[in-house]
Amino acid sequence: MSAIRLLVLGAVRQHGRAHGYQVRNDLEYWGAHEWSNAKPGSIYHALKQMAKQGLLHAHDIAPSTAGGPPRTEYEMTEAGTAEYFKLLRDSLSQYDRKVDELSAAIGFIVDLPREEAVALLKERVRGLEEWRESVTEYYTPADGPEQLGHIGEIMNMWVNAADTGADWSRGLIDRIERGAYVFAGEGEPFVGVLAEGQENPFATGEPDPESNAGPDGGPDADANADAEDGAGPGPSVE
């Protein structure tokens, strides 16, 4: 799973109903174009594909008064909501997720109840600990990487990544358990999206694929379609 599906579904969910440019604007506001494959073409492609898959409902709206093409607004379906929470839970709990997937999940972690968020992060820590133990069956960190020649540096990197990831996760668990942040069911949530017409100081200024295509994003969006990347051989480095 790449981060784009979770990011797009999360952005649509926060608005309730949003067109492609709003979703793109939010992702750029979050800096997602810097740490994930959230480029304009990928965003529009993801919206189209998830509408075809029944995860989003596409609403055609009237053309703009400026004479541009009609936009499509997207709204989460019941299946889309289920997919969103599955992606969110998997990205928080599975130790071998890439850093962009984990970053996206942290951005939406408060959509879960506090206790569930803690439980998922603890599952991630267990996974990191077990994976580290499997590496150290063949490599003893105390003896240093030189014991295996320069190849030992690979295992040394994996062990350090596991330790760093587990330490970061434990720190977040501790902050959450001590009451940090507002989680689902606890009160007014943090608002992390731009209001309609609000200027985005982090906008990239790249052309909008939807502005030169039909209401579905057109061929330009498909040309930049995002590839679904699998997880790497070891834990992400946080």
Side-chain angles (χ1 to χ4, degrees):
M1 194 278 290
S2 72
I4 192 72
R5 286 169 70 87
L6 178 56
L7 285 166
V8 169
L9 285 171
V12 172
R13 183 176 183 271
Q14 289 199 25
H15 281 286
R17 182 165 162 167
H19 55 71
Y21 186 74
Q22 285 177 304
V23 173
R24 172 192 167 175
N25 210 32
D26 287 338
L27 269 55
E28 290 183 353
Y29 183 58
W30 302 335
H33 57 293
E34 299 287 353
W35 48 261
S36 76
N37 194 34
K39 309 304 180 189
S42 298
I43 294 167
Y44 287 102
H45 177 73
L47 286 164
K48 287 175 58 180
Q49 289 301 108
M50 288 192 285
K52 290 178 182 177
Q53 294 164 2
L55 305 178
L56 296 172
H57 181 72
H59 301 272
D60 289 329
I61 59 174
S64 70
T65 55
R71 289 194 181 275
T72 300
E73 287 188 343
Y74 296 91
E75 185 176 14
M76 296 270 276
T77 64
E78 186 174 336
T81 299
E83 176 72 0
Y84 168 73
F85 280 105
K86 180 182 185 302
L87 294 173
L88 177 57
R89 290 173 175 124
D90 287 350
S91 296
L92 287 171
S93 63
Q94 295 178 10
Y95 77 90
D96 56 355
R97 290 308 179 107
K98 291 186 173 183
V99 70
D100 61 342
E101 297 173 53
L102 180 60
S103 298
I106 294 301
F108 298 122
I109 192 172
V110 294
D111 286 348
L112 297 168
R114 184 178 299 271
E115 296 77 9
E116 183 179 6
V118 167
L120 292 168
L121 290 167
K122 287 182 176 179
E123 185 176 341
R124 181 174 191 271
V125 171
R126 285 193 296 272
L128 285 165
E129 291 172 340
E130 291 170 2
W131 188 83
R132 185 190 192 279
E133 186 176 344
S134 73
V135 173
T136 55
E137 288 180 12
Y138 310 97
Y139 167 71
T140 307
D143 293 342
E146 299 91 342
Q147 62 187 296
L148 300 176
H150 74 281
I151 300 302
E153 295 292 350
I154 298 173
M155 292 185 172
N156 189 50
M157 178 182 67
W158 289 349
V159 168
N160 277 274
D163 290 343
T164 300
D167 287 346
W168 172 84
S169 300
R170 293 188 192 100
L172 177 55
I173 289 167
D174 179 63
R175 289 187 290 277
I176 293 173
E177 289 183 326
R178 287 189 288 109
Y181 318 120
V182 178
F183 283 79
E186 295 181 347
E188 195 66 28
F190 173 80
V191 178
V193 297
L194 295 165
E196 182 71 28
Q198 184 179 353
E199 184 179 355
N200 182 359
F202 307 110
T204 64
E206 291 183 40
D208 180 3
E210 199 172 63
S211 66
N212 296 315
D216 290 325
D220 289 340
D222 286 333
N224 294 310
D226 126 71
E228 292 294 315
D229 296 321
S236 301
V237 180
E238 280 74 61

